[in-house]
Amino acid sequence: MYPPVFEIAKQNAAVLAALGSNPTRLWPFGRAPQPGQPGYGVPYAVHQLVYGTPVNSLGCVPDMDNFGIQLDVYAANATDARSAAAALRDAYEGSQNPVVSWNGEDIDPPTGLYRVSFTVEFWPERESS
């Protein structure tokens, strides 16, 4: 039911150059390794569902859903955060999943890392059960 956020990113060379390939540092929210844990590195990104709705019609069960996925990119400096965010943006837009909002930039107080945030929409067709 969740859109292919990781799968699309992992197929893009620019994303792999920015976020690595073993592992690719794109994590579900709350799952990013912390400093000292295996897999930790910067830049990295996290994703989470921030809104969604079935594409309803009067005559049948929905055959498609709309998901808004927020991505937050963290890096040691603004340039690296923006560069990794641009790679993710290009990967999603290149697969027909548009960026629908830029959610701002800031510095994460606990870590001192720079953060760039944006939201991408996915419109996947439902698989038959």
Side-chain angles (χ1 to χ4, degrees), residues 12 64 73 80:
N12 184 279
M64 180 180 278
V73 180
D80 289 348

Side-chain angles (χ1 to χ4, degrees), residues 17-38:
L19 300 181
S21 60
N22 190 22
T24 301
R25 295 181 304 275
L26 174 59
W27 313 101
F29 74 99
R31 305 294 254 162
Q34 299 303 302
Q37 293 179 330

Side-chain angles (χ1 to χ4, degrees), residues 49-64:
L49 175 69
V50 290
Y51 63 85
T53 186
V55 179
N56 291 310
S57 67
L58 294 175
C60 62
V61 174
D63 62 354
M64 180 180 278

